[in-house]
CSV table of all heavy atoms in Angstrom, one decimal:
chain,number,residue,atom,x,y,z
A,1,MET,N,17.2,28.4,124.5
A,1,MET,CA,16.8,27.4,123.6
A,1,MET,C,16.4,26.2,124.4
A,1,MET,O,17.0,25.8,125.4
A,1,MET,CB,18.0,27.0,122.7
A,1,MET,CG,17.5,26.0,121.6
A,1,MET,SD,18.9,25.7,120.5
A,1,MET,CE,19.6,24.3,121.2
A,2,ASN,N,15.2,25.6,124.0
A,2,ASN,CA,14.7,24.4,124.7
A,2,ASN,C,14.9,23.2,123.7
A,2,ASN,O,14.9,23.4,122.5
A,2,ASN,CB,13.3,24.5,125.0
A,2,ASN,CG,13.1,25.5,126.2
A,2,ASN,OD1,13.9,26.3,126.5
A,2,ASN,ND2,12.0,25.3,126.9
A,3,CYS,N,14.9,22.1,124.3
A,3,CYS,CA,15.0,20.8,123.5
A,3,CYS,C,13.6,20.7,122.8
A,3,CYS,O,12.6,20.6,123.5
A,3,CYS,CB,15.3,19.6,124.4
A,3,CYS,SG,15.1,18.1,123.5
A,4,PRO,N,13.6,20.5,121.5
A,4,PRO,CA,12.3,20.4,120.8
A,4,PRO,C,11.6,19.0,121.2
A,4,PRO,O,10.4,18.9,121.0
A,4,PRO,CB,12.6,20.4,119.3
A,4,PRO,CG,14.0,21.0,119.3
A,4,PRO,CD,14.7,20.6,120.5
A,5,ASN,N,12.4,18.1,121.6
A,5,ASN,CA,11.9,16.8,121.9
A,5,ASN,C,11.2,16.7,123.2
A,5,ASN,O,10.0,16.3,123.3
A,5,ASN,CB,13.0,15.8,121.8
A,5,ASN,CG,12.5,14.3,121.9
A,5,ASN,OD1,11.5,14.0,121.2
A,5,ASN,ND2,13.2,13.5,122.6
A,6,CYS,N,11.8,17.2,124.3
A,6,CYS,CA,11.2,17.1,125.6
A,6,CYS,C,10.9,18.4,126.2
A,6,CYS,O,10.4,18.5,127.3
A,6,CYS,CB,12.2,16.3,126.5
A,6,CYS,SG,13.7,17.1,126.9
A,7,LYS,N,11.2,19.5,125.5
A,7,LYS,CA,11.0,20.9,125.9
A,7,LYS,C,11.9,21.2,127.1
A,7,LYS,O,11.7,22.2,127.8
A,7,LYS,CB,9.5,21.1,126.3
A,7,LYS,CG,8.6,20.6,125.3
A,7,LYS,CD,8.7,21.4,124.0
A,7,LYS,CE,7.7,20.9,123.0
A,7,LYS,NZ,8.0,21.3,121.6
A,8,GLY,N,12.9,20.4,127.4
A,8,GLY,CA,13.8,20.6,128.5
A,8,GLY,C,14.8,21.7,128.2
A,8,GLY,O,15.1,22.0,127.1
A,9,LYS,N,15.5,22.1,129.3
A,9,LYS,CA,16.5,23.1,129.1
A,9,LYS,C,17.9,22.6,129.5
A,9,LYS,O,18.9,23.3,129.5
A,9,LYS,CB,16.2,24.4,129.9
A,9,LYS,CG,15.1,25.2,129.4
A,9,LYS,CD,15.1,26.6,130.1
A,9,LYS,CE,14.1,27.5,129.4
A,9,LYS,NZ,14.4,28.9,129.6
A,10,ASN,N,17.9,21.3,129.7
A,10,ASN,CA,19.2,20.7,130.2
A,10,ASN,C,20.1,20.3,129.0
A,10,ASN,O,20.3,19.1,128.7
A,10,ASN,CB,18.8,19.4,131.0
A,10,ASN,CG,19.9,19.0,131.9
A,10,ASN,OD1,20.9,19.7,132.0
A,10,ASN,ND2,19.7,17.9,132.6
A,11,LEU,N,20.5,21.3,128.2
A,11,LEU,CA,21.3,21.1,127.0
A,11,LEU,C,22.8,21.4,127.3
A,11,LEU,O,23.1,22.4,127.9
A,11,LEU,CB,20.8,22.0,125.9
A,11,LEU,CG,19.4,21.9,125.5
A,11,LEU,CD1,19.0,22.9,124.4
A,11,LEU,CD2,19.1,20.5,124.9
A,12,GLY,N,23.6,20.5,126.9
A,12,GLY,CA,25.0,20.7,127.0
A,12,GLY,C,25.7,20.9,125.6
A,12,GLY,O,25.3,20.2,124.7
A,13,LYS,N,26.6,21.9,125.5
A,13,LYS,CA,27.3,22.1,124.3
A,13,LYS,C,28.3,21.0,124.0
A,13,LYS,O,29.2,20.8,124.9
A,13,LYS,CB,27.9,23.5,124.3
A,13,LYS,CG,28.3,24.0,122.9
A,13,LYS,CD,28.6,25.5,123.0
A,13,LYS,CE,29.2,25.9,121.6
A,13,LYS,NZ,28.4,26.7,120.8
A,14,ILE,N,28.3,20.4,122.9
A,14,ILE,CA,29.3,19.4,122.6
A,14,ILE,C,30.2,19.7,121.4
A,14,ILE,O,31.1,19.0,121.1
A,14,ILE,CB,28.6,18.0,122.4
A,14,ILE,CG1,27.6,18.1,121.2
A,14,ILE,CG2,27.9,17.5,123.6
A,14,ILE,CD1,27.1,16.7,120.8
A,15,GLY,N,29.9,20.8,120.8
A,15,GLY,CA,30.7,21.2,119.6
A,15,GLY,C,30.1,22.5,119.1
A,15,GLY,O,29.2,23.1,119.6
A,16,VAL,N,30.7,22.9,117.9
A,16,VAL,CA,30.3,24.1,117.3
A,16,VAL,C,28.9,23.8,116.7
A,16,VAL,O,28.7,22.9,115.9
A,16,VAL,CB,31.2,24.5,116.1
A,16,VAL,CG1,30.7,25.7,115.4
A,16,VAL,CG2,32.6,24.8,116.6
A,17,ASN,N,27.9,24.6,117.2
A,17,ASN,CA,26.5,24.4,116.8
A,17,ASN,C,26.0,23.0,117.1
A,17,ASN,O,25.0,22.6,116.4
A,17,ASN,CB,26.3,24.7,115.3
A,17,ASN,CG,26.5,26.2,115.0
A,17,ASN,OD1,26.2,27.1,115.9
A,17,ASN,ND2,27.0,26.6,113.8
A,18,GLN,N,26.5,22.4,118.1
A,18,GLN,CA,26.0,21.1,118.5
A,18,GLN,C,25.8,21.0,119.9
A,18,GLN,O,26.6,21.4,120.8
A,18,GLN,CB,27.0,20.0,118.1
A,18,GLN,CG,27.0,19.6,116.6
A,18,GLN,CD,27.7,18.3,116.3
A,18,GLN,OE1,28.9,18.2,116.7
A,18,GLN,NE2,27.1,17.4,115.6
A,19,TYR,N,24.6,20.5,120.3
A,19,TYR,CA,24.2,20.3,121.7
A,19,TYR,C,23.7,18.9,122.0
A,19,TYR,O,23.4,18.2,121.1
A,19,TYR,CB,23.1,21.4,122.0
A,19,TYR,CG,23.6,22.8,121.8
A,19,TYR,CD1,23.5,23.4,120.6
A,19,TYR,CD2,24.0,23.5,122.9
A,19,TYR,CE1,24.0,24.7,120.4
A,19,TYR,CE2,24.5,24.8,122.8
A,19,TYR,CZ,24.4,25.4,121.5
A,19,TYR,OH,24.8,26.7,121.4
A,20,TYR,N,23.7,18.6,123.3
A,20,TYR,CA,23.2,17.3,123.7
A,20,TYR,C,22.2,17.5,124.8
A,20,TYR,O,22.4,18.3,125.7
A,20,TYR,CB,24.4,16.5,124.2
A,20,TYR,CG,24.0,15.1,124.5
A,20,TYR,CD1,23.8,14.1,123.5
A,20,TYR,CD2,23.8,14.7,125.8
A,20,TYR,CE1,23.5,12.8,123.8
A,20,TYR,CE2,23.5,13.3,126.1
A,20,TYR,CZ,23.3,12.4,125.1
A,20,TYR,OH,23.0,11.1,125.4
A,21,CYS,N,21.0,16.9,124.6
A,21,CYS,CA,20.0,17.0,125.7
A,21,CYS,C,20.2,15.9,126.7
A,21,CYS,O,20.1,14.7,126.4
A,21,CYS,CB,18.6,16.9,125.1
A,21,CYS,SG,17.3,17.0,126.3
A,22,TRP,N,20.5,16.3,127.9
A,22,TRP,CA,20.7,15.3,129.0
A,22,TRP,C,19.4,14.7,129.5
A,22,TRP,O,19.4,13.7,130.3
A,22,TRP,CB,21.5,15.9,130.1
A,22,TRP,CG,22.9,16.4,129.7
A,22,TRP,CD1,23.3,17.6,129.4
A,22,TRP,CD2,24.0,15.5,129.5
A,22,TRP,NE1,24.6,17.6,129.0
A,22,TRP,CE2,25.1,16.4,129.1
A,22,TRP,CE3,24.2,14.2,129.6
A,22,TRP,CZ2,26.3,15.9,128.8
A,22,TRP,CZ3,25.5,13.7,129.3
A,22,TRP,CH2,26.5,14.5,128.9
A,23,ASP,N,18.3,15.3,129.1
A,23,ASP,CA,17.0,14.8,129.6
A,23,ASP,C,16.5,13.6,128.7
A,23,ASP,O,16.0,12.6,129.2
A,23,ASP,CB,16.0,15.9,129.7
A,23,ASP,CG,16.3,16.9,130.8
A,23,ASP,OD1,16.9,16.4,131.8
A,23,ASP,OD2,15.9,18.0,130.7
A,24,CYS,N,16.6,13.8,127.4
A,24,CYS,CA,16.1,12.7,126.5
A,24,CYS,C,17.1,12.1,125.7
A,24,CYS,O,16.8,11.3,124.8
A,24,CYS,CB,14.9,13.3,125.7
A,24,CYS,SG,15.4,14.6,124.6
A,25,PHE,N,18.4,12.5,125.9
A,25,PHE,CA,19.5,11.9,125.2
A,25,PHE,C,19.5,12.0,123.7
A,25,PHE,O,19.7,11.0,123.0
A,25,PHE,CB,19.6,10.4,125.6
A,25,PHE,CG,19.6,10.2,127.1
A,25,PHE,CD1,18.5,9.6,127.7
A,25,PHE,CD2,20.6,10.7,127.9
A,25,PHE,CE1,18.4,9.5,129.1
A,25,PHE,CE2,20.6,10.5,129.3
A,25,PHE,CZ,19.5,9.9,129.9
A,26,VAL,N,19.2,13.2,123.2
A,26,VAL,CA,19.3,13.4,121.7
A,26,VAL,C,20.3,14.4,121.4
A,26,VAL,O,20.6,15.3,122.3
A,26,VAL,CB,17.9,13.8,121.1
A,26,VAL,CG1,16.9,12.7,121.3
A,26,VAL,CG2,17.5,15.1,121.6
A,27,GLU,N,20.9,14.3,120.3
A,27,GLU,CA,21.9,15.3,119.8
A,27,GLU,C,21.2,16.3,119.0
A,27,GLU,O,20.4,16.0,118.1
A,27,GLU,CB,23.0,14.6,119.0
A,27,GLU,CG,24.1,15.5,118.7
A,27,GLU,CD,25.1,14.7,117.8
A,27,GLU,OE1,25.8,13.8,118.3
A,27,GLU,OE2,25.3,15.1,116.6
A,28,LEU,N,21.5,17.6,119.2
A,28,LEU,CA,20.9,18.7,118.4
A,28,LEU,C,22.0,19.4,117.6
A,28,LEU,O,23.0,19.8,118.2
A,28,LEU,CB,20.2,19.7,119.3
A,28,LEU,CG,19.0,19.2,120.1
A,28,LEU,CD1,19.4,18.6,121.4
A,28,LEU,CD2,18.1,20.4,120.5
A,29,SER,N,21.8,19.5,116.3
A,29,SER,CA,22.7,20.3,115.5
A,29,SER,C,22.0,21.5,114.9
A,29,SER,O,20.9,21.4,114.4
A,29,SER,CB,23.2,19.4,114.4
A,29,SER,OG,23.7,18.2,114.8
A,30,LEU,N,22.6,22.6,115.0
A,30,LEU,CA,22.1,23.9,114.5
A,30,LEU,C,22.7,24.2,113.2
A,30,LEU,O,23.9,24.2,113.1
A,30,LEU,CB,22.3,25.0,115.5
A,30,LEU,CG,22.0,24.8,117.0
A,30,LEU,CD1,22.1,26.1,117.7
A,30,LEU,CD2,20.6,24.2,117.1
A,31,SER,N,21.9,24.5,112.2
A,31,SER,CA,22.4,25.0,110.9
A,31,SER,C,21.3,25.7,110.2
A,31,SER,O,20.2,25.3,110.1
A,31,SER,CB,23.0,23.8,110.1
A,31,SER,OG,21.9,23.0,109.6
A,32,LYS,N,21.7,26.9,109.6
A,32,LYS,CA,20.8,27.7,108.8
A,32,LYS,C,19.5,27.9,109.6
A,32,LYS,O,18.4,27.9,109.0
A,32,LYS,CB,20.5,27.0,107.5
A,32,LYS,CG,21.8,26.9,106.7
A,32,LYS,CD,21.5,26.0,105.4
A,32,LYS,CE,22.8,25.8,104.7
A,32,LYS,NZ,22.7,24.7,103.7
A,33,GLY,N,19.6,28.3,110.9
A,33,GLY,CA,18.4,28.6,111.6
A,33,GLY,C,17.5,27.5,111.9
A,33,GLY,O,16.3,27.7,112.3
A,34,LYS,N,17.9,26.3,111.7
A,34,LYS,CA,17.1,25.1,112.0
A,34,LYS,C,17.9,24.1,112.9
A,34,LYS,O,19.1,24.0,112.9
A,34,LYS,CB,16.7,24.4,110.7
A,34,LYS,CG,15.5,25.0,110.1
A,34,LYS,CD,15.0,24.3,108.9
A,34,LYS,CE,14.6,22.9,109.2
A,34,LYS,NZ,14.2,22.1,108.0
A,35,ILE,N,17.1,23.3,113.6
A,35,ILE,CA,17.6,22.3,114.5
A,35,ILE,C,17.5,20.9,113.9
A,35,ILE,O,16.4,20.6,113.4
A,35,ILE,CB,16.9,22.3,115.9
A,35,ILE,CG1,17.0,23.7,116.5
A,35,ILE,CG2,17.5,21.3,116.8
A,35,ILE,CD1,16.1,23.8,117.8
A,36,SER,N,18.5,20.2,113.9
A,36,SER,CA,18.4,18.8,113.5
A,36,SER,C,18.5,17.9,114.7
A,36,SER,O,19.4,18.1,115.5
A,36,SER,CB,19.5,18.4,112.5
A,36,SER,OG,19.3,19.0,111.2
A,37,LEU,N,17.6,17.0,114.9
A,37,LEU,CA,17.7,16.1,116.0
A,37,LEU,C,18.1,14.7,115.6
A,37,LEU,O,17.7,14.2,114.6
A,37,LEU,CB,16.3,16.0,116.7
A,37,LEU,CG,15.9,17.2,117.5
A,37,LEU,CD1,15.0,18.1,116.7
A,37,LEU,CD2,15.2,16.7,118.8
A,38,ALA,N,19.0,14.1,116.4
A,38,ALA,CA,19.4,12.7,116.2
A,38,ALA,C,19.5,12.0,117.5
A,38,ALA,O,20.0,12.6,118.5
A,38,ALA,CB,20.7,12.7,115.4
A,39,GLN,N,19.0,10.8,117.5
A,39,GLN,CA,19.1,10.0,118.7
A,39,GLN,C,20.4,9.1,118.6
A,39,GLN,O,20.6,8.5,117.6
A,39,GLN,CB,17.9,9.1,118.9
A,39,GLN,CG,17.9,8.3,120.2
A,39,GLN,CD,16.5,8.0,120.6
A,39,GLN,OE1,15.6,7.7,119.7
A,39,GLN,NE2,16.2,8.0,121.8
A,40,ILE,N,21.1,9.1,119.7
A,40,ILE,CA,22.3,8.2,119.7
A,40,ILE,C,22.0,6.8,120.2
A,40,ILE,O,21.6,6.7,121.3
A,40,ILE,CB,23.4,8.9,120.5
A,40,ILE,CG1,23.7,10.3,120.0
A,40,ILE,CG2,24.7,8.0,120.5
A,40,ILE,CD1,24.7,11.1,120.9
A,41,GLU,N,22.2,5.9,119.3
A,41,GLU,CA,21.8,4.5,119.7
A,41,GLU,C,22.9,3.9,120.6
A,41,GLU,O,24.0,4.4,120.7
A,41,GLU,CB,21.6,3.6,118.4
A,41,GLU,CG,20.6,4.2,117.5
A,41,GLU,CD,19.2,4.2,118.0
A,41,GLU,OE1,18.9,3.5,119.1
A,41,GLU,OE2,18.3,4.8,117.4
A,42,GLU,N,22.6,2.7,121.1
A,42,GLU,CA,23.6,2.1,122.0
A,42,GLU,C,24.9,1.7,121.3
A,42,GLU,O,25.9,1.7,121.9
A,42,GLU,CB,23.0,0.8,122.6
A,42,GLU,CG,22.0,1.1,123.7
A,42,GLU,CD,21.4,-0.1,124.3
A,42,GLU,OE1,22.0,-1.2,124.3
A,42,GLU,OE2,20.2,-0.1,124.8
A,43,ASP,N,24.8,1.5,120.0
A,43,ASP,CA,26.0,1.1,119.2
A,43,ASP,C,26.7,2.3,118.7
A,43,ASP,O,27.6,2.2,117.9
A,43,ASP,CB,25.6,0.1,118.2
A,43,ASP,CG,24.7,0.7,117.1
A,43,ASP,OD1,24.3,1.8,117.3
A,43,ASP,OD2,24.3,-0.1,116.2
A,44,GLY,N,26.2,3.5,119.0
A,44,GLY,CA,26.9,4.7,118.6
A,44,GLY,C,26.4,5.3,117.3
A,44,GLY,O,26.8,6.4,116.9
A,45,THR,N,25.5,4.7,116.6
A,45,THR,CA,24.9,5.2,115.4
A,45,THR,C,23.9,6.3,115.7
A,45,THR,O,23.3,6.3,116.8
A,45,THR,CB,24.3,4.1,114.5
A,45,THR,OG1,23.3,3.5,115.2
A,45,THR,CG2,25.4,3.1,114.1
A,46,LEU,N,23.6,7.1,114.7
A,46,LEU,CA,22.7,8.2,114.9
A,46,LEU,C,21.4,7.9,114.1
A,46,LEU,O,21.4,7.5,113.0
A,46,LEU,CB,23.2,9.5,114.4
A,46,LEU,CG,24.4,10.1,115.2
A,46,LEU,CD1,24.9,11.4,114.5
A,46,LEU,CD2,24.0,10.4,116.6
A,47,THR,N,20.3,8.1,114.8
A,47,THR,CA,19.0,7.9,114.1
A,47,THR,C,18.4,9.3,114.0
A,47,THR,O,18.2,10.0,115.0
A,47,THR,CB,18.0,7.0,114.9
A,47,THR,OG1,18.7,5.8,115.1
A,47,THR,CG2,16.7,6.9,114.2
A,48,ASP,N,18.1,9.7,112.8
A,48,ASP,CA,17.5,11.0,112.5
A,48,ASP,C,16.1,11.0,113.0
A,48,ASP,O,15.2,10.2,112.8
A,48,ASP,CB,17.4,11.1,111.0
A,48,ASP,CG,17.3,12.6,110.6
A,48,ASP,OD1,16.3,13.2,111.0
A,48,ASP,OD2,18.1,13.1,109.8
A,49,LEU,N,15.8,12.1,113.8
A,49,LEU,CA,14.5,12.2,114.4
A,49,LEU,C,13.7,13.4,113.8
A,49,LEU,O,12.6,13.7,114.2
A,49,LEU,CB,14.6,12.5,115.9
A,49,LEU,CG,15.3,11.5,116.7
A,49,LEU,CD1,15.3,11.9,118.2
A,49,LEU,CD2,14.6,10.1,116.7
A,50,ASN,N,14.2,14.0,112.7
A,50,ASN,CA,13.6,15.2,112.2
A,50,ASN,C,12.2,14.9,111.7
A,50,ASN,O,11.3,15.8,111.7
A,50,ASN,CB,14.4,15.8,111.1
A,50,ASN,CG,15.7,16.3,111.6
A,50,ASN,OD1,15.8,16.7,112.8
A,50,ASN,ND2,16.8,16.3,110.8
A,51,ASP,N,11.9,13.7,111.2
A,51,ASP,CA,10.6,13.4,110.6
A,51,ASP,C,9.5,13.4,111.7
A,51,ASP,O,8.3,13.5,111.3
A,51,ASP,CB,10.6,12.0,110.0
A,51,ASP,CG,11.5,12.0,108.7
A,51,ASP,OD1,11.9,13.1,108.3
A,51,ASP,OD2,11.8,10.9,108.3
A,52,LEU,N,9.9,13.4,112.9
A,52,LEU,CA,8.9,13.3,114.0
A,52,LEU,C,8.4,14.7,114.4
A,52,LEU,O,7.5,14.9,115.2
A,52,LEU,CB,9.5,12.7,115.3
A,52,LEU,CG,10.0,11.3,115.1
A,52,LEU,CD1,10.6,10.8,116.4
A,52,LEU,CD2,8.9,10.3,114.7
A,53,PHE,N,9.0,15.8,113.8
A,53,PHE,CA,8.7,17.1,114.2
A,53,PHE,C,8.2,17.9,113.0
A,53,PHE,O,8.5,17.7,111.9
A,53,PHE,CB,9.9,17.8,114.8
A,53,PHE,CG,10.4,17.1,116.1
A,53,PHE,CD1,11.3,16.1,116.0
A,53,PHE,CD2,9.8,17.5,117.3
A,53,PHE,CE1,11.7,15.5,117.2
A,53,PHE,CE2,10.2,16.8,118.4
A,53,PHE,CZ,11.2,15.8,118.4
A,54,GLU,N,7.4,18.9,113.4
A,54,GLU,CA,6.9,19.9,112.4
A,54,GLU,C,8.1,20.8,112.1
A,54,GLU,O,8.9,21.1,112.9
A,54,GLU,CB,5.7,20.7,112.9
A,54,GLU,CG,4.5,19.8,113.2
A,54,GLU,CD,3.9,19.3,111.9
A,54,GLU,OE1,4.0,19.9,110.8
A,54,GLU,OE2,3.2,18.2,112.0
A,55,GLU,N,8.1,21.4,110.9
A,55,GLU,CA,9.1,22.4,110.5
A,55,GLU,C,9.1,23.5,111.5
A,55,GLU,O,10.2,24.0,111.9
A,55,GLU,CB,8.7,22.9,109.1
A,55,GLU,CG,9.7,24.0,108.6
A,55,GLU,CD,10.6,23.4,107.5
A,55,GLU,OE1,10.3,22.4,107.0
A,55,GLU,OE2,11.6,24.1,107.2
A,56,SER,N,8.0,24.0,112.0
A,56,SER,CA,7.9,25.1,112.9
A,56,SER,C,8.6,24.8,114.3
A,56,SER,O,9.1,25.6,114.9
A,56,SER,CB,6.5,25.5,113.1
A,56,SER,OG,5.7,24.5,113.6
A,57,GLU,N,8.5,23.5,114.6
A,57,GLU,CA,9.1,23.1,115.9
A,57,GLU,C,10.6,23.1,115.9
A,57,GLU,O,11.3,23.2,116.9
A,57,GLU,CB,8.6,21.7,116.3
A,57,GLU,CG,7.2,21.6,116.6
A,57,GLU,CD,6.8,20.2,117.0
A,57,GLU,OE1,6.5,19.4,116.1
A,57,GLU,OE2,6.7,20.0,118.2
A,58,LEU,N,11.2,23.0,114.7
A,58,LEU,CA,12.6,22.9,114.5
A,58,LEU,C,13.3,24.2,114.2
A,58,LEU,O,14.5,24.3,114.0
A,58,LEU,CB,13.0,21.9,113.5
A,58,LEU,CG,12.5,20.4,113.8
A,58,LEU,CD1,12.8,19.5,112.6
A,58,LEU,CD2,13.2,19.9,115.0
A,59,ARG,N,12.5,25.3,114.1
A,59,ARG,CA,13.0,26.6,113.8
A,59,ARG,C,13.6,27.2,115.1
A,59,ARG,O,13.0,27.1,116.1
A,59,ARG,CB,11.9,27.5,113.3
A,59,ARG,CG,12.4,28.4,112.1
A,59,ARG,CD,11.3,29.2,111.6
A,59,ARG,NE,10.3,28.4,110.8
A,59,ARG,CZ,9.0,28.6,110.9
A,59,ARG,NH1,8.5,29.5,111.7
A,59,ARG,NH2,8.2,27.9,110.2
A,60,ILE,N,14.8,27.8,115.0
A,60,ILE,CA,15.4,28.4,116.1
A,60,ILE,C,14.8,29.8,116.3
A,60,ILE,O,14.8,30.6,115.4
A,60,ILE,CB,16.9,28.5,115.9
A,60,ILE,CG1,17.5,27.1,115.7
A,60,ILE,CG2,17.5,29.2,117.1
A,60,ILE,CD1,19.0,27.2,115.3
A,61,GLU,N,14.3,30.0,117.5
A,61,GLU,CA,13.7,31.3,117.8
A,61,GLU,C,14.9,32.3,118.1
A,61,GLU,O,15.6,32.2,119.0
A,61,GLU,CB,12.9,31.2,119.1
A,61,GLU,CG,11.6,30.3,118.9
A,61,GLU,CD,11.0,30.0,120.2
A,61,GLU,OE1,10.9,30.9,121.0
A,61,GLU,OE2,10.6,28.8,120.4
A,62,SER,N,15.0,33.2,117.1
A,62,SER,CA,16.0,34.2,117.3
A,62,SER,C,15.4,35.6,117.2
A,62,SER,O,15.0,36.0,116.1
A,62,SER,CB,17.1,34.1,116.2
A,62,SER,OG,16.6,33.9,115.0
A,63,PRO,N,15.2,36.3,118.3
A,63,PRO,CA,14.6,37.6,118.3
A,63,PRO,C,15.4,38.5,117.4
A,63,PRO,O,16.6,38.6,117.5
A,63,PRO,CB,14.6,38.0,119.8
A,63,PRO,CG,15.4,37.0,120.5
A,63,PRO,CD,15.7,35.8,119.6
A,64,GLY,N,14.7,39.2,116.6
A,64,GLY,CA,15.3,40.2,115.7
A,64,GLY,C,15.3,39.8,114.3
A,64,GLY,O,15.4,40.6,113.4
A,65,THR,N,15.1,38.5,114.0
A,65,THR,CA,15.0,38.0,112.7
A,65,THR,C,13.6,37.4,112.4
A,65,THR,O,13.5,36.5,111.6
A,65,THR,CB,16.1,37.0,112.4
A,65,THR,OG1,16.0,35.9,113.3
A,65,THR,CG2,17.5,37.6,112.5
A,66,ALA,N,12.6,38.0,113.0
A,66,ALA,CA,11.3,37.5,112.8
A,66,ALA,C,10.6,38.1,111.5
A,66,ALA,O,10.9,37.9,110.5
A,66,ALA,CB,10.4,37.8,114.0
B,1,LIG,ZN1,15.3,16.7,125.3
Protein backbone atom coordinates (compact mmCIF):
# COMPACT_ATOMS: atom_id res chain seq x y z
CA MET A 1 0.00 0.00 0.00
CA ASN A 2 1.20 3.46 -0.87
CA CYS A 3 0.23 6.75 0.67
CA PRO A 4 -2.43 8.32 -1.57
CA ASN A 5 -1.15 11.75 -0.68
CA CYS A 6 2.56 11.52 -1.49
CA LYS A 7 2.65 8.05 -3.09
CA GLY A 8 5.29 7.12 -0.54
CA LYS A 9 5.70 3.77 1.11
CA ASN A 10 6.96 5.03 4.42
CA LEU A 11 3.85 3.99 6.34
CA GLY A 12 3.86 2.99 9.98
CA LYS A 13 1.08 1.04 11.63
CA ILE A 14 -0.37 2.93 14.58
CA GLY A 15 -3.43 0.84 15.30
CA VAL A 16 -5.98 -1.56 13.93
CA ASN A 17 -6.52 -0.46 10.32
CA GLN A 18 -4.66 2.75 11.05
CA TYR A 19 -1.42 3.91 9.53
CA TYR A 20 0.73 7.00 9.60
CA CYS A 21 2.72 8.38 6.70
CA TRP A 22 6.11 9.54 7.87
CA ASP A 23 6.74 11.34 4.60
CA CYS A 24 3.79 13.71 4.55
CA PHE A 25 2.53 13.31 8.14
CA VAL A 26 -1.01 12.19 7.47
CA GLU A 27 -3.00 9.55 9.26
CA LEU A 28 -4.62 6.84 7.15
CA SER A 29 -7.59 4.85 8.34
CA LEU A 30 -8.81 1.81 6.46
CA SER A 31 -12.44 0.84 6.50
CA LYS A 32 -14.72 -0.98 4.10
CA GLY A 33 -12.05 -1.13 1.41
CA LYS A 34 -11.41 2.59 1.49
CA ILE A 35 -8.77 4.87 2.92
CA SER A 36 -9.60 7.93 4.95
CA LEU A 37 -6.90 10.56 5.19
CA ALA A 38 -6.54 13.04 7.98
CA GLN A 39 -3.82 15.55 8.68
CA ILE A 40 -2.74 15.97 12.25
CA GLU A 41 -2.48 19.63 13.13
CA GLU A 42 0.00 21.09 15.57
CA ASP A 43 -2.69 21.28 18.25
CA GLY A 44 -3.55 17.62 17.81
CA THR A 45 -6.79 18.04 15.91
CA LEU A 46 -7.47 16.12 12.73
CA THR A 47 -8.29 17.75 9.43
CA ASP A 48 -10.13 15.57 6.96
CA LEU A 49 -8.33 15.39 3.63
CA ASN A 50 -10.70 13.09 1.79
CA ASP A 51 -12.19 15.92 -0.24
CA LEU A 52 -8.84 16.43 -1.93
CA PHE A 53 -8.89 12.99 -3.53
CA GLU A 54 -10.90 11.14 -6.09
CA GLU A 55 -12.86 8.14 -4.95
CA SER A 56 -10.65 5.90 -7.08
CA GLU A 57 -7.53 7.18 -5.35
CA LEU A 58 -8.83 6.15 -1.96
CA ARG A 59 -9.78 2.63 -2.90
CA ILE A 60 -7.57 -0.06 -1.44
CA GLU A 61 -6.05 -2.23 -4.09
CA SER A 62 -6.73 -5.76 -3.01
CA PRO A 63 -5.94 -8.39 -5.60
CA GLY A 64 -8.66 -10.98 -5.81
CA THR A 65 -11.58 -8.68 -5.18
CA ALA A 66 -11.49 -6.84 -8.49
ZN1 LIG B 1 2.33 10.40 2.47
